[in-house]
Amino acid sequence: MAHLRPLLPRAGRAIEIGAGSGRLLIRLGRERPYRLVALDYAPYSLRAVRENYRRAKVDGYGLFGDARALPLRDGSFDVVLSGGLLEHFREPGEVVREMARVLRPGGLFYADIVPRKVSLYRWAERARMAHDEQLAEGIYESDLRKSAWRDVVRDAGLRDVRIASAGVYPPYTLRDHERLVWKYGGFLRALDGTPVADVLGFF
Ligand SMILES: C[S@@+](CC[C@H](N)C(=O)[O-])C[C@H]1O[C@@H](n2cnc3c(N)ncnc32)[C@H](O)[C@@H]1O
């Protein structure tokens, strides 16, 4: 939110693609009077989003759809965002082009991308991946670097591209993960934009 806040339009329509629980979209909705749309292809996500709208006391829609072929008109949103989505596609350009298509000229595109770096995630999830049929093939995590993501975004026709490294966290498999994040949050945030964040954080 600290990165986004200065760039946010005052009002308009905002959509999160691959919204999951809708946590980022809902935070935007609490800061600006946006018409919110959460899109996902998983029915359980849309149920979670509706419940989270209710709990956060914000109005919004849930929309079932595929990020690779959005069921939306060109230029219909002022803000188009995703979190933890693009790195799971072997061809992310296809999704970014769709996101750019539904963005109005001059609108704000935002994505946070957690690329495969040290992949603590894969290590932490190895037992679940081995036993869960749906995860048997593993979850695809792109290892594209910052400069490659810049090209993907530019190739989709987006301009004034800014990429920041941020979000250094202790491994979430640590029993005290949550407590450490709260206790050392200020220090961890101070690492945003540094070479440490380049190596350990997301974009
Ligand atoms: C890692 S979760 C991130 C959820 C949320 N954005 C967040 O930051 O917590 C990825 C989400 O993208 C959705 N997703 C994956 N592929 C999709 C596709 N092709 N179309 C729509 N949603 C998709 C999944 O169902 C899941 O909810």
Side-chain angles (χ1 to χ4, degrees):
M1 287 307 298
H3 289 285
L4 271 177
R5 206 169 274 124
L7 305 170
L8 289 173
R10 278 167 184 258
R13 290 160 55 92
I15 184 165
E16 181 170 0
I17 310 297
S21 63
R23 59 190 176 138
L24 180 56
L25 184 74
I26 288 171
R27 290 180 88 174
L28 291 191
R30 293 175 79 163
E31 301 229 353
R32 297 284 193 281
Y34 292 151
R35 279 171 72 98
L36 304 179
V37 180
L39 179 138
D40 207 290
Y41 72 178
Y44 62 77
S45 153
L46 298 180
R47 284 199 296 275
V49 166
R50 289 197 186 105
E51 174 63 16
N52 288 334
Y53 283 149
R54 193 184 64 75
R55 290 187 191 196
K57 299 186 175 53
V58 297
D59 288 329
Y61 300 90
L63 183 62
F64 184 77
D66 187 340
R68 291 164 295 193
L70 295 173
L72 297 162
R73 284 203 307 271
D74 294 2
S76 44
F77 285 87
D78 302 275
V79 180
V80 177
L81 55 106
S82 72
L85 176 77
L86 298 177
E87 65 272 25
H88 298 301
F89 290 85
R90 285 184 168 78
E91 299 290 342
E94 166 177 44
V95 179
V96 177
R97 280 194 296 279
E98 272 298 89
M99 291 171 73
R101 179 181 68 73
V102 302
L103 184 67
R104 74 159 166 77
L108 177 71
F109 168 93
Y110 171 84
D112 62 50
I113 298 168
V114 190
R116 185 173 184 176
K117 292 179 179 171
V118 286
S119 203
L120 288 170
Y121 175 78
R122 205 165 276 267
W123 176 80
E125 295 288 294
R126 65 195 183 289
R128 195 156 72 97
M129 284 179 174
H131 290 107
D132 186 323
E133 197 182 309
Q134 296 192 42
L135 295 175
E137 286 181 25
I139 293 172
Y140 178 74
E141 291 173 286
S142 158
D143 60 3
L144 291 184
R145 289 161 185 273
K146 239 197 238 187
S147 56
W149 282 111
R150 187 183 298 277
D151 292 344
V152 168
V153 171
R154 281 193 178 142
D155 289 350
L158 294 162
R159 296 286 166 264
D160 187 14
V161 181
R162 304 176 202 177
I163 303 190
S165 302
V168 178
Y169 295 113
Y172 79 94
T173 44
L174 276 186
R175 210 157 44 101
D176 280 347
H177 168 89
E178 193 108 344
R179 195 179 60 78
L180 292 171
V181 170
W182 283 107
K183 188 164 177 196
Y184 298 108
F187 168 72
L188 294 170
R189 290 287 65 77
L191 295 173
D192 287 0
T194 67
V196 178
D198 275 345
V199 177
L200 295 175
F202 57 80
F203 303 137

